[in-house]
Coordinates of all heavy atoms in Angstrom, one line a residue:
Q72 N -1.8 55.7 -40.9 CA -2.0 55.1 -39.5 C -3.1 54.1 -39.5 O -4.1 54.4 -40.1 CB -2.3 56.3 -38.6 CG -2.4 55.8 -37.1 CD -2.3 56.8 -36.1 OE1 -2.0 58.0 -36.4 NE2 -2.9 56.6 -35.0
K73 N -2.9 53.0 -39.1 CA -3.9 51.8 -39.1 C -4.0 51.3 -37.7 O -3.1 51.2 -36.9 CB -3.4 50.8 -40.0 CG -4.4 49.6 -40.2 CD -3.9 48.6 -41.2 CE -5.0 47.6 -41.4 NZ -4.6 46.6 -42.2
T74 N -5.3 51.1 -37.3 CA -5.5 50.6 -35.9 C -6.3 49.3 -36.0 O -7.2 49.1 -36.8 CB -6.5 51.7 -35.1 OG1 -5.8 52.9 -35.1 CG2 -6.7 51.3 -33.7
E75 N -5.9 48.4 -35.2 CA -6.4 47.0 -35.0 C -6.6 46.6 -33.6 O -5.8 47.1 -32.7 CB -5.5 46.0 -35.9 CG -5.7 46.0 -37.3 CD -4.9 45.0 -37.9 OE1 -5.3 43.7 -37.7 OE2 -4.0 45.1 -38.7
T76 N -7.5 45.6 -33.4 CA -7.7 44.9 -32.1 C -7.2 43.6 -32.2 O -7.6 42.9 -33.1 CB -9.1 45.1 -31.6 OG1 -9.3 46.6 -31.6 CG2 -9.3 44.5 -30.2
F77 N -6.4 43.1 -31.2 CA -5.9 41.7 -31.3 C -6.3 41.0 -29.9 O -6.2 41.6 -28.8 CB -4.5 41.7 -31.3 CG -3.8 42.4 -32.5 CD1 -3.5 43.7 -32.5 CD2 -3.7 41.7 -33.8 CE1 -3.0 44.4 -33.6 CE2 -3.2 42.3 -34.8 CZ -2.8 43.7 -34.7
K78 N -6.8 39.7 -30.1 CA -7.0 38.8 -29.0 C -5.7 38.1 -28.5 O -5.5 38.0 -27.3 CB -8.0 37.7 -29.4 CG -9.4 38.3 -29.7 CD -10.3 37.1 -29.9 CE -11.8 37.5 -30.2 NZ -12.6 36.6 -30.5
K79 N -4.8 37.9 -29.4 CA -3.6 37.2 -29.1 C -2.5 38.3 -29.3 O -2.3 38.9 -30.3 CB -3.3 36.0 -30.0 CG -4.3 34.9 -29.8 CD -3.6 33.8 -30.7 CE -4.7 32.9 -31.3 NZ -4.2 31.9 -32.2
Y80 N -1.6 38.4 -28.3 CA -0.6 39.4 -28.3 C 0.6 39.0 -27.4 O 0.3 38.3 -26.3 CB -0.9 40.7 -28.1 CG -1.6 40.9 -26.8 CD1 -1.1 41.2 -25.7 CD2 -3.1 40.8 -26.8 CE1 -1.8 41.3 -24.5 CE2 -3.8 40.9 -25.6 CZ -3.1 41.2 -24.4 OH -3.8 41.3 -23.4
V81 N 1.7 39.5 -27.6 CA 2.9 39.4 -26.6 C 3.5 40.7 -26.7 O 3.8 41.4 -27.7 CB 3.9 38.3 -27.2 CG1 5.1 38.2 -26.2 CG2 3.2 36.9 -27.2
E82 N 3.9 41.3 -25.4 CA 4.5 42.5 -25.3 C 6.0 42.2 -24.9 O 6.1 41.5 -23.8 CB 3.8 43.4 -24.3 CG 4.5 44.7 -24.0 CD 3.7 45.6 -23.0 OE1 2.6 45.2 -22.8 OE2 4.4 46.6 -22.6
N83 N 7.0 42.8 -25.5 CA 8.4 42.6 -25.2 C 8.9 43.8 -24.9 O 8.9 44.9 -25.6 CB 9.1 42.0 -26.5 CG 8.4 40.8 -26.9 OD1 8.6 39.7 -26.4 ND2 7.6 40.8 -27.9
V84 N 9.6 44.0 -23.8 CA 10.4 45.1 -23.3 C 11.8 44.8 -23.7 O 12.5 43.9 -23.2 CB 10.3 45.3 -21.9 CG1 11.0 46.6 -21.3 CG2 8.7 45.6 -21.4

Side-chain angles (χ1 to χ4, degrees):
Q72 188 171 334
K73 186 173 181 181
T74 303
E75 281 188 63
T76 302
F77 301 93
K78 288 182 182 179
K79 293 188 213 174
Y80 54 87
V81 179
E82 183 181 344
N83 303 282
V84 177

